[in-house]
Amino acid sequence: MNRAKPFVIGFGALIALLLGTLQFMPMSSYIPTMEGAASRRINEPVSIAQLHMSILPSLEFKLDNVKIRQQLDVQLTSVKVYPDLGSLFRDQVVIRRMEV
């Protein structure tokens, strides 16, 4: 058991490092994908200024300065999207909750 202790501690530290890296990973490259998905869903052009991801306490995406243009002409300061974790690896993402 004493031999395994450093490996368990090292594995735990590696997992913590990976989760910390995900918390601060730049998400700007995903903005066009999210804009396209939202535009197709509501049939209106959607633009997102900034995208942030948080994994603690639960997985959430925060969209800042969201604009829906053309006929609706809507501007939202902040939108929080809480996806179903398992659906992130499928073709269609399931959203559990959204705060506007």
Side-chain angles (χ1 to χ4, degrees):
M1 191 65 172
N2 285 338
R3 286 183 171 177
K5 191 174 185 178
F7 292 110
V8 171
I9 292 172
F11 183 72
L14 180 64
I15 295 297
L17 179 67
L18 288 173
L19 291 176
T21 301
L22 285 174
Q23 190 79 9
F24 299 106
M25 186 173 83
M27 301 296 294
S28 59
S29 62
Y30 295 101
I31 290 175
T33 304
M34 294 190 95
E35 288 174 338
S39 295
R40 285 189 301 277
R41 183 72 176 159
I42 64 172
N43 295 320
E44 292 283 340
V46 175
S47 66
I48 301 168
Q50 293 181 358
L51 172 64
H52 307 280
M53 180 180 77
S54 176
I55 55 174
L56 297 173
S58 66
L59 179 63
E60 78 175 32
F61 293 98
K62 183 179 177 199
L63 316 171
D64 291 329
N65 199 15
V66 178
K67 295 178 183 175
I68 304 171
R69 297 281 176 171
Q70 196 137 355
Q71 294 177 15
L72 294 178
D73 199 27
V74 175
Q75 184 170 352
L76 306 168
T77 305
S78 177
V79 177
K80 289 185 180 179
V81 177
Y82 299 89
D84 180 46
L85 183 60
S87 73
L88 291 177
F89 306 106
R90 294 188 223 135
D91 291 338
Q92 190 170 9
V93 176
V94 176
I95 296 175
R96 291 184 297 128
R97 189 173 86 214
M98 184 181 291
E99 295 176 7
V100 179

